[in-house]
Amino acid sequence: MKFFVDTADTAEIKELAATGLLDGVTTNPSLIMKAGRPMKEVIAEICDLVDGPVSAEVVAMEKDAMLAEARELTAIANNICIKLPLTLEGLKACRVLSDQGTQTNVTLCFSANQALLAAKAGATFISPFIGRLDDIHIDGLDLISDIRQIYDNYMFETEILAASIRTANHVKDCALLGADVATIPPATLKALVKHPLTEKGLESFMADWAKTGQSII
Ligand code: G3P
């Protein structure tokens, strides 16, 4: 499973990239707003920090305007992935970009039919939003499972990028269901390593090691 980080905070991305566990980055207009910096400057900096796909989202509503924005964004770096909304105009733009060999991430997916359309439009990634479905009492994980089955039935190559992840359990459950990628907020990604028994065990190993009076080097 690939791990993307869902943020436009370059300090966080730098720290996580140094772990060697990061396969890409996703951003959206809200995350750019939170970063408080010019979009193209932030995206360029992120593309320098990670080799994998960096999703940059268009904000136009109509296909040709989306494609014009996509041209601006793809000029920033080779690893730009164009994020498009799950609308008919977004799918039309997705088809054009896919045919040109540009990576695409179709976002704001809340149904299996929407995911089917994105795969037919040649999307590189489909982003089902788990947390926002959970927020309205619909099980977001059921959507991941449905999309996995549909994509496997027809051997679609579109990768399932589980988004709107809120908890460490979301990551584990998406991995169990066969999502190809999880895009995870920095704090949740860092929390994955933590287990109280690991901390307790390490503490006791270190205390016993100190008693031996030895050193390895
Ligand atoms: O980047 C899209 C998605 O991950 C947003 O998550 O927490 O705003 O629903 P959230």
Side-chain angles (χ1 to χ4, degrees), residues 6 28 83 129 132 163-164 166 183:
D6 198 26
N28 61 38
K83 208 170 178 189
F129 276 33
R132 292 191 195 185
S164 187
R166 306 275 171 77
T183 190

Side-chain angles (χ1 to χ4, degrees), residues 101-216:
T102 300
Q103 293 198 81
T104 51
N105 174 0
V106 178
T107 190
L108 289 166
C109 171
F110 294 97
S111 81
N113 279 329
Q114 288 181 321
L116 180 54
L117 291 174
K120 286 184 69 64
T124 315
F125 301 102
I126 180 68
S127 288
F129 276 33
I130 302 174
R132 292 191 195 185
L133 280 171
D134 288 352
D135 288 346
I136 58 162
H137 312 291
I138 294 172
D139 191 343
L141 293 169
D142 285 347
L143 177 57
I144 300 290
S145 163
D146 287 350
I147 300 172
R148 179 75 281 154
Q149 188 174 336
I150 290 167
Y151 282 9
D152 289 349
N153 284 349
Y154 297 98
M155 289 185 284
F156 283 121
E157 286 175 8
T158 299
E159 294 188 37
I160 303 173
L161 194 173
S164 187
I165 281 183
R166 306 275 171 77
T167 65
N169 275 341
H170 271 159
V171 178
K172 183 248 307 172
D173 290 332
C174 286
L176 283 169
L177 292 169
D180 302 284
V181 191
T183 190
I184 313 168
T188 310
L189 218 166
K190 289 181 199 164
L192 297 182
V193 75
K194 292 190 189 302
H195 195 289
L197 290 181
T198 303
E199 281 155 32
K200 195 175 163 207
L202 190 59
E203 211 173 283
S204 101
F205 283 160
M206 290 307 103
D208 289 344
W209 177 250
K211 287 179 206 155
T212 71
Q214 300 178 43
S215 72
I216 293 176

